[in-house]
Amino acid sequence: MGYPRGRVPDRDYDRDVRPVTVLGVETSCDETAAAVVVDGRDVRSNLVSSQVDLHARYGGVVPEIAARAHIEKLVPLIEEALARAGVGYGDLHAVAVTAGPGLVGSLLIGVTAARTLAWTLGVPLVAVDHLEAHATSAALTIGTSPWPAVALVVSGGHTSLFLVRDYCDLELLGQTVDDAAGEAFDKVAAILELGYPGGPVIDRVARGGNPQAVRFPRTWIDAEHLDFSFSGLKTAVLYHVYGAGQKYGSVAHLSASQIADISASFQAALVDTLVAKTIAAARQTAVRTVVVGGGVAANSALRAALADACAAAGLTLHLTPMQYCTDNAAMVAALGYRRLLRGEIADLRLEPRAGLLRPALRRRRGL
Ligand code: KG4
Ligand code: ZN
């Protein structure tokens, strides 16, 4: 069973098949998503079913609950994505699926569904790396290909910088060694008892605060390497609120304006670091374009700071529109199309991976 790896049977998709209709499937974390994209750019449908309500009471994603919800939601969502796009199963030329990185139990649901569909329909299965999809998602709404570019991917699970030479030629320049940026937002919101998910609420509360009120650490901001670390920042907020040793103080003792100041100061420290590393990445790789994707790219302070810093450095900035920033399957179908054109077809025995699909794309530390 399965096509030989790297070969499409008797079809040249670049020349012989136009337009190419790809179904994208995304289940790497807590959003179930399906999309139909034609020729890698024309998004005919893009459906996302969020599980945020299921996980909110636990203050974070519970893998078992996420996987069970994917099982329930995925097939109806795929059918609706096809219906909204006005196509049937028989119109699909390929099925693209996120095969990693992510929660393996969640990925398994999407990968199994995609394998089954590809086998039943007799069309190629394309494995897509979730981070590469985020890194290239800005291109969905830009008329031309923006590459080469430095891509900042900031989400609840990841904080990474890529050099994107082309859709299928990415190099990982740096990533967080501990918490992701969104995770830091979520944890700081939990410390401040602001609710989950924390990013949007901190963004809002911080607008009424002073970003210079507390000087939180900006880990490795001046270091030449492009890795991030946010766990120290999170701990600094914890100690600021509860006191060293966590014996004294609590959120109950803080006024609304103190909470706003802490939120704004935390956000400023995180944003400063993200922006400095992104600009450093562009300088080190001599690239003139920056693209940004992932859920944290919704953050108003980050968007404003990136716009200022890129303008000052003479860089072109493309912020991915919101519907393609948070987890979605349009970005998966779009990148799947590019991989299909290159004949990068997955074996039907495709297994999900918790880590990057191509670990070798990691650039050596120190550039
Ligand atoms: O990309 P995404 O939807 O899912 C993951 O792949 O993780 O990102 C979700 C993350 C959450 O941590 C959430 O708190 C954060 O994005 N987020 C924000 C904002 N909106 C969502 N973080 C900061 N500011 C926001 N406005
Ligand atoms: Zn994501």
Side-chain angles (χ1 to χ4, degrees):
M1 185 169 89
Y3 303 122
R5 208 173 271 275
R7 292 191 49 213
V8 187
D10 59 43
R11 266 175 164 182
D12 180 343
Y13 283 84
D14 216 356
R15 286 207 312 252
D16 307 343
V17 187
R18 289 271 171 191
V20 179
T21 305
V22 177
L23 171 71
V25 174
E26 158 64 48
T27 62
S28 67
C29 189
D30 63 337
E31 336 275 359
T32 317
V36 174
V37 178
V38 173
D39 288 345
R41 196 162 268 153
D42 180 4
V43 181
R44 296 282 171 91
S45 63
N46 183 32
L47 298 181
V48 182
S49 170
S50 173
Q51 304 175 3
V52 78
D53 296 345
L54 295 178
H55 302 285
R57 84 174 84 150
Y58 304 102
V61 177
V62 183
E64 169 92 16
I65 293 175
R68 286 175 187 273
H70 288 310
I71 293 174
E72 223 170 87
K73 292 175 175 176
L74 184 57
V75 173
L77 203 72
I78 289 174
E79 305 221 307
E80 202 184 329
L82 294 175
R84 290 219 191 167
V87 298
Y89 283 111
D91 298 314
L92 298 176
H93 294 106
V95 180
V97 63
T98 301
L103 301 170
V104 171
S106 287
L107 288 164
L108 193 58
I109 312 305
V111 168
T112 305
R115 280 168 44 160
T116 311
L117 268 178
W119 180 69
T120 332
L121 301 173
V123 299
L125 175 69
V126 185
V128 170
D129 181 296
H130 183 75
L131 290 189
E132 294 184 26
H134 272 306
T136 51
S137 62
L140 267 168
T141 47
I142 305 169
T144 54
S145 294
W147 324 123
V150 159
L152 172 67
V153 178
V154 266
S155 73
H158 309 281
T159 303
S160 314
L161 277 166
F162 290 92
L163 168 59
V164 187
R165 293 194 192 85
D166 203 347
Y167 289 100
C168 301
D169 184 4
L170 290 89
E171 191 172 334
L172 183 63
L173 301 171
Q175 62 188 342
T176 182
V177 298
D178 41 52
D179 293 351
E183 191 180 351
F185 270 104
D186 293 338
K187 287 178 176 168
V188 166
I191 293 168
L192 295 173
E193 298 176 9
L194 292 172
Y196 172 86
V201 60
I202 291 203
D203 192 347
R204 196 175 62 245
V205 169
R207 278 181 211 146
N210 173 8
Q212 272 134 28
V214 190
R215 182 75 194 166
F216 287 125
R218 284 138 171 87
T219 308
W220 294 338
I221 196 162
D222 294 322
E224 263 304 289
H225 68 76
L226 299 170
D227 287 331
F228 303 91
S229 167
F230 295 120
S231 72
L233 171 59
K234 171 195 67 191
T235 309
V237 176
L238 184 75
Y239 283 1
H240 183 83
V241 172
Y242 284 91
Q246 301 178 44
K247 281 187 192 146
Y248 315 103
S250 78
V251 178
H253 297 139
L254 297 175
S255 67
S257 90
Q258 282 173 311
I259 290 183
D261 283 350
I262 295 169
S263 298
S265 300
F266 152 75
Q267 183 174 266
L270 190 135
V271 165
D272 279 358
T273 315
L274 290 175
V275 172
K277 292 284 179 190
T278 304
I279 302 296
R283 180 174 29 82
Q284 290 178 22
T285 55
V287 159
R288 309 303 304 160
T289 301
V290 170
V291 298
V292 188
V296 181
N299 185 264
S300 57
L302 177 62
R303 294 174 90 88
L306 276 168
D308 287 350
C310 286
L315 302 170
T316 302
L317 172 67
H318 295 290
L319 293 162
T320 303
M322 273 324 295
Q323 72 268 33
Y324 304 131
C325 263
T326 46
D327 284 350
N328 67 90
M331 67 180 186
V332 176
L335 187 54
Y337 165 78
R338 305 288 165 180
R339 297 217 164 262
L340 177 71
L341 293 193
R342 289 165 52 104
E344 294 184 20
I345 307 307
D347 193 289
L348 284 177
R349 287 159 295 190
L350 175 69
E351 296 281 349
R353 289 180 64 113
L356 294 173
L357 295 193
R358 277 164 285 279
L361 62 72
R362 177 77 162 105
R363 181 182 270 223
R364 272 184 300 112
R365 235 166 194 263
L367 294 168

